[in-house]
Each structure stands twice: as C-alpha cells, then as structure tokens.
C-alpha cells in the first residue's frame, strides 16, 4: 500500500467533487466554464467542462487510489 499514491488519488477525487459542488452553487466563479459556453454553446460547453474538470479527475483519482492500495507507486515511475 503506497500512501503517497493513495493521497494523490484522494486529492484528485476531492478536486472533482469540489468542482461539481461549486458549479451548482456558484457557476460564475468558473471563468473557463463561461469561455467554453461562449465558444461551444451552452450545452456542449457545459458537457466539455463537466468531463474535463469533474469526471476525468474523479475517474483518474479512483484508478490512482486503487493502484496505490495495490502497492503501485506513482513516484516510483520517476526514479532512475
């Protein structure tokens, strides 16, 4: 069990849940959301923003957390 890798995965999950919560409570704080809506339209811009800033971090966070739980280390990949 690699605690650093699990911590990184947890932070990614928390970031995804944070963006999901803030988007529903105060979407005006997301400048990139407005830019994406202006460029791609309301529904497509929202969908891209949700995928990029909510779904992807949560999924990657879960995968990284499970990898850390199984003993894999993200930091070990950068050692030579």
């Amino acid at each position: 069990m690699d605690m650093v890798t699990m911590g990184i995965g947890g932070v990614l999950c928390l970031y995804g849940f944070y963006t999901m919560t803030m988007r529903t409570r105060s979407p005006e704080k997301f400048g990139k959301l407005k830019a994406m809506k202006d460029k791609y339209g309301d529904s497509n811009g929202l969908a891209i923003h949700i995928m990029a800033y909510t779904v992807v971090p949560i999924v990657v966070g879960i995968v990284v957390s499970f990898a850390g739980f199984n003993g894999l280390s993200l930091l070990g990949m950068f050692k030579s």
Side-chain angles (χ1 to χ4, degrees), residues 32-59:
K32 292 180 184 177
L33 175 58
K34 183 180 178 338
M36 286 182 185
K37 283 184 174 182
D38 290 344
K39 187 170 184 174
Y40 300 111
D42 284 343
S43 62
N44 288 338
L46 180 63
I48 292 169
H49 191 271
I50 288 172
M51 284 299 295
Y53 293 100
T54 301
V55 175
V56 170
I58 291 173
V59 170

Side-chain angles (χ1 to χ4, degrees), residues 59-72:
V59 170
V60 171
I62 291 170
V63 170
V64 168
S65 294
F66 278 120
F69 184 75
N70 289 322
L72 297 174

